Amino acid sequence: MCKGYSPFICTCKQVYWCLFAVPMDECGVMTHELKRIVEEKLGMCEKRVDKSRPFKAMLYMIPTFHNPTGACLADERCPLVVDIARKNDLLVVCDDVYNLLAYTDDRPRRLFSYDKKDDPGYMGNVVSNGSFSKLFGPGVRVGWMEAPQRVVGHLKTCGIAFSGGSTSHCMSGLLTQAMELGLQDQLLMEARIFYKRNVSTMCEVLEKLLPSSVKFRRPKVYRMEFKTGFDVCVM
């Protein structure tokens, strides 16, 4: 993406992946640009897919409450992304770590839900990645994945899972106990109330104190926009 989660970008560079940015607007990834870039770049790729390597490339996205823009992928664009992925053998990895924290009633659907098994062209191209760190605490570093069967098979045989079964046995055990006690529902409710109150307070302060050259919108998540040439050091 033109704007993305910096640690993920650093990881890609460390393993020498070729990265290509896809432009975004206030409605998320611009699908016509995604189609153009994918067809242009993969058109020069001689990589063939098979059972052991079912994808030519990966598309990394934060479809809901994008970090850092706060944008949500528009409903009408979601089926287009899935269609592009199916036609071009793309694996779409969605960082769905913020979805559960939405504190409005109109919570966006995950992109994962648009990759329907009963679709005529279904193959399983979308993975949804969640995280307990956003719910139980930043140091938890344990998450979960929802994936199609052909991806699950590869995950089960990857080095980390095959060797130890998990990246954090102790924390996974603690989380299991917490969920068996039903604590996740209580923590999620408290988190939504906490974030909603904080954002509301922040917006009230910004409306009073920010100069006219800075614009922001009351969000499902927070976002600010600065006019060109604005010096944030004066804030």
Side-chain angles (χ1 to χ4, degrees):
M1 303 302 153
C2 55
K3 301 172 183 176
Y5 184 53
S6 56
F8 176 81
I9 295 173
C10 291
T11 300
C12 292
K13 291 180 178 179
Q14 288 171 351
V15 294
Y16 302 102
W17 286 357
C18 296
L19 301 180
F20 300 100
V22 181
M24 297 177 60
D25 58 18
E26 65 277 4
C27 295
V29 169
M30 301 169 69
T31 49
H32 65 284
E33 288 292 332
L34 172 62
K35 183 176 184 293
R36 178 187 63 79
I37 292 171
V38 167
E39 291 178 349
E40 176 184 314
K41 301 302 180 183
L42 292 187
M44 301 182 292
C45 177
E46 298 181 356
K47 184 185 297 184
R48 296 185 180 277
V49 298
D50 54 38
K51 188 175 181 180
S52 63
R53 298 178 66 90
F55 304 104
K56 292 181 179 178
M58 182 183 78
L59 172 64
Y60 170 76
M61 301 180 66
I62 309 179
T64 307
F65 308 143
H66 179 270
N67 181 4
T69 67
C72 290
L73 187 64
D75 291 343
E76 63 271 16
R77 295 186 184 184
C78 291
L80 299 177
V81 172
V82 173
D83 184 62
I84 292 170
R86 290 174 177 173
K87 290 180 178 178
N88 294 278
D89 298 310
L90 290 181
L91 173 64
V92 183
V93 177
C94 299
D95 227 349
D96 291 329
V97 297
Y98 305 111
N99 300 51
L100 291 175
L101 298 177
Y103 43 77
T104 58
D105 294 332
D106 56 336
R107 297 186 181 92
R109 286 174 56 187
R110 291 181 302 163
L111 184 64
F112 184 79
S113 69
Y114 288 86
D115 194 18
K116 300 176 182 178
K117 292 183 179 181
D118 55 357
D119 284 349
Y122 176 82
M123 293 181 288
N125 291 74
V126 182
V127 171
S128 176
N129 176 55
S131 174
F132 290 107
S133 297
K134 310 302 180 186
L135 180 58
F136 285 89
V140 171
R141 297 304 178 192
V142 175
W144 69 91
M145 298 181 73
E146 291 183 68
Q149 190 58 46
R150 63 171 176 166
V151 176
V152 171
H154 287 279
L155 293 174
K156 286 182 177 179
T157 56
C158 73
I160 295 176
F162 187 76
S163 174
S166 172
T167 57
S168 180
H169 291 283
C170 181
M171 185 56 69
S172 296
L174 292 173
L175 288 170
T176 299
Q177 291 295 313
M179 288 188 288
E180 288 177 351
L181 293 171
L183 296 180
Q184 76 279 6
D185 293 331
Q186 177 185 341
L187 287 172
L188 180 57
M189 181 179 66
E190 291 176 355
R192 287 172 176 168
I193 294 172
F194 175 80
Y195 288 126
K196 182 176 183 178
R197 182 175 64 243
N198 281 9
V199 168
S200 179
T201 301
M202 180 178 62
C203 288
E204 291 173 5
V205 172
L206 293 176
E207 286 174 346
K208 293 178 180 179
L209 301 181
L210 282 180
S212 58
S213 53
V214 180
K215 295 186 295 183
F216 76 95
R217 48 185 170 149
R218 284 188 170 266
K220 297 175 182 177
V221 291
Y222 172 66
R223 181 184 180 188
M224 294 177 65
E225 298 176 353
F226 299 93
K227 289 185 177 179
T228 303
F230 182 81
D231 185 0
V232 295
C233 294
V234 305
M235 292 179 60

